[in-house]
Amino acid sequence: MRITGISTHVVGTPWRNLTYVQVHTDEGITGVGETRMLGRTDALLGYLREAEANHIAGSDPFAVEDLVRRMKYGDYGRAGEIVMSGIACVEMAFWDIKGKALGVPVWQLLGGKVTDKVKAYANGWYTVERTPEAFHKAAGAVVERGYRALKLDPFGTGHFELDHAETLRSLALVEAVRDAIGPETELLVEMHGRFSPATAVRLAGELERFQPSWLEEPVPPENLKALAKVAEKTRLPIATGERIHDRIEFRELFEAQAADIIQPDLGHIGGIGETRKLAATAETHYVLVAPHNVGGSVLTAASLQLAGCTPNFKILEHFNDFADAEIKKVVKGAPQVVDGYFQLSHEPGLGVELDTDAAAEFPQQQARFDLWAEGWEKRNPSGGRGA
């Protein structure tokens, strides 16, 4: 079996474009992969056109390791977000083809399952006014839908510092959410790399009474010593990693013991195999894995394949029940959350198929997501929160 070529499909929303890649073979089996780029979709498409000619066409889809090695190192220049995201899309599709050809789910090819279900947490649910009343109502709706965990960034446009008034406002939002969801539902707090270590430590102390399961990306991702400083001074678990694009870069994070949960994005770190290797390394450091998952249903399906065979897997993020829920229809067999959990698929490959006709209903947009603009949490850039 050989690869004859690829086709790309961009599904657009106002705040994110989702790029789907179909990989075609001479035996009629087609695999699919996905990533979500912010502001770099055209660059990704351009890279994939070159990579198709240089690395993908003519390849053996069973030789996943060889594909990743050639795409990552065969162009000599150091691979960054765009290259690693391109690799991820094609790599996922190779696993999908391999599973379909053998008639087994991908998790079976990665060592077999360790669980039948995977806990989900909701994100994208707080596209409301930034008031305790609005957040309370929105959080209650998440629990009513069956979720047993949810995440929020309550900090507005906070950057390095958060003044006293904004601190009180942010804490009031978290208090309202905890009241709405009760003590048993998991609460995850996101900081999006906003703060200085001192501010992050101060806020962590204030947040402890709400018992969040983690504090995510408390400081900008470039400085691991700053992250370690926060980890040393709070009792809350620290989660990070969505903006690291090479598993090798996690080495320093593990050495610094600066995080308790890592959050690699399968769509940005080279795909399923690279993340599986990273998860195994994390296990040797007693670190849990909770992938960043802000894409669509193919990326969710790929993340669940990893979850099924990973002993130190904690929980999986899910946007698509709340943010742009209509895009789920572009993927046949899209994973669904039932009573707070995903069930592990036993279908061959990734267990999903891209509906290209449905995808065409959502053309690429000039998507924007500016975390420093007022009202960013509404995820509606045309609504007056920035150019």
Side-chain angles (χ1 to χ4, degrees):
M1 186 188 302
R2 293 289 165 178
I3 302 302
T4 57
I6 68 172
S7 54
T8 56
H9 308 267
V10 178
V11 171
T13 80
W15 69 282
R16 57 177 177 165
N17 284 316
L18 310 178
T19 301
Y20 296 91
V21 177
Q22 289 182 307
V23 177
H24 308 285
T25 70
D26 58 6
E27 294 187 14
I29 300 176
T30 296
V32 63
E34 181 199 354
T35 192
R36 176 229 57 171
M37 301 297 294
L38 289 176
R40 301 179 179 93
T41 299
D42 288 336
L44 174 65
L45 296 175
Y47 166 67
L48 285 168
R49 283 194 296 271
E50 291 193 58
E52 179 181 17
N54 294 336
H55 303 298
I56 304 168
S59 293
D60 175 1
F62 274 50
V64 181
E65 288 285 343
D66 182 61
L67 170 85
V68 173
R69 178 185 60 81
R70 287 186 289 107
M71 291 184 72
K72 185 175 180 181
Y73 298 112
D75 297 319
Y76 185 69
R78 185 176 179 182
E81 181 184 21
I82 292 168
V83 170
M84 294 306 293
S85 300
I87 293 172
C89 292
V90 180
E91 192 260 14
M92 285 179 213
F94 270 41
W95 282 112
D96 192 26
I97 291 167
K98 192 170 184 177
K100 289 173 178 175
L102 297 174
V104 296
V106 170
W107 54 257
Q108 192 69 271
L109 302 174
L110 298 172
K113 68 179 180 178
V114 295
T115 185
D116 287 308
K117 63 180 185 178
V118 179
K119 192 173 185 179
Y121 73 84
N123 204 343
W125 56 270
Y126 53 102
T127 55
V128 295
E129 294 302 316
R130 195 164 163 257
T131 66
E133 296 78 14
F135 272 55
H136 189 283
K137 182 178 179 180
V142 175
V143 175
E144 288 174 6
R145 191 158 185 152
Y147 279 88
R148 302 179 187 184
L150 55 74
K151 186 170 77 178
L152 78 158
D153 176 346
F155 301 108
T157 59
H159 189 208
F160 285 175
E161 292 186 309
L162 198 67
D163 65 30
H164 184 63
E166 277 300 307
T167 296
L168 294 177
R169 185 181 184 186
S170 299
L171 293 173
L173 296 178
V174 179
E175 183 176 24
V177 170
R178 174 52 84 190
D179 181 71
I181 67 177
E184 295 182 357
T185 300
E186 258 190 287
L187 174 63
L188 311 169
V189 176
E190 164 78 88
M191 287 185 165
H192 277 126
R194 294 187 180 282
F195 300 120
S196 69
T199 301
V201 169
R202 175 175 65 83
L203 291 172
E206 297 280 6
L207 289 165
E208 280 192 12
R209 66 183 186 270
F210 303 119
Q211 297 184 306
S213 293
W214 73 48
L215 196 64
E216 182 171 336
E217 217 177 35
V219 297
E222 299 88 357
N223 188 334
L224 290 180
K225 288 184 178 180
L227 183 65
K229 183 177 180 180
V230 177
E232 289 169 2
K233 295 185 177 183
T234 178
R235 293 186 296 178
L236 297 178
I238 298 296
T240 194
E242 70 180 69
R243 288 188 272 184
I244 300 177
H245 307 125
D246 190 329
R247 63 184 169 85
I248 296 171
E249 294 177 18
F250 277 88
R251 177 179 54 80
E252 293 180 27
L253 183 70
F254 293 140
E255 289 175 351
Q257 297 187 17
D260 305 284
I261 302 103
I262 58 167
Q263 300 171 291
D265 189 315
L266 272 71
H268 293 315
I269 200 166
I272 295 170
E274 290 293 282
T275 313
R276 183 70 184 92
K277 293 174 184 178
L278 174 62
T281 305
E283 188 179 10
T284 69
H285 291 84
Y286 316 128
V287 170
L288 299 177
V289 180
H292 181 248
N293 181 42
V294 192
S297 296
V298 171
L299 195 54
T300 299
S303 298
L304 289 170
Q305 299 295 331
L306 175 79
C309 61
T310 301
N312 54 325
F313 198 98
K314 175 176 172 58
I315 197 168
L316 184 62
E317 185 171 23
H318 193 227
F319 267 79
N320 297 321
D321 279 339
F322 300 96
D324 315 317
E326 67 277 7
I327 66 170
K328 285 195 293 185
K329 74 177 187 179
V330 310
V331 175
K332 298 175 182 177
Q336 305 294 332
V337 177
V338 178
D339 294 330
Y341 289 83
F342 291 105
Q343 292 296 318
L344 198 63
S345 171
H346 288 255
E347 294 298 314
L350 298 181
V352 294
E353 294 291 343
L354 180 67
D355 185 332
T356 56
D357 291 334
E361 297 176 22
F362 302 92
Q364 182 175 346
Q365 298 193 34
Q366 192 64 40
R368 288 291 313 279
F369 185 62
D370 183 358
L371 275 164
W372 316 112
E374 195 70 38
W376 66 266
E377 65 278 357
K378 295 181 181 179
R379 290 182 166 81
N380 180 23
S382 61
R385 64 163 189 85

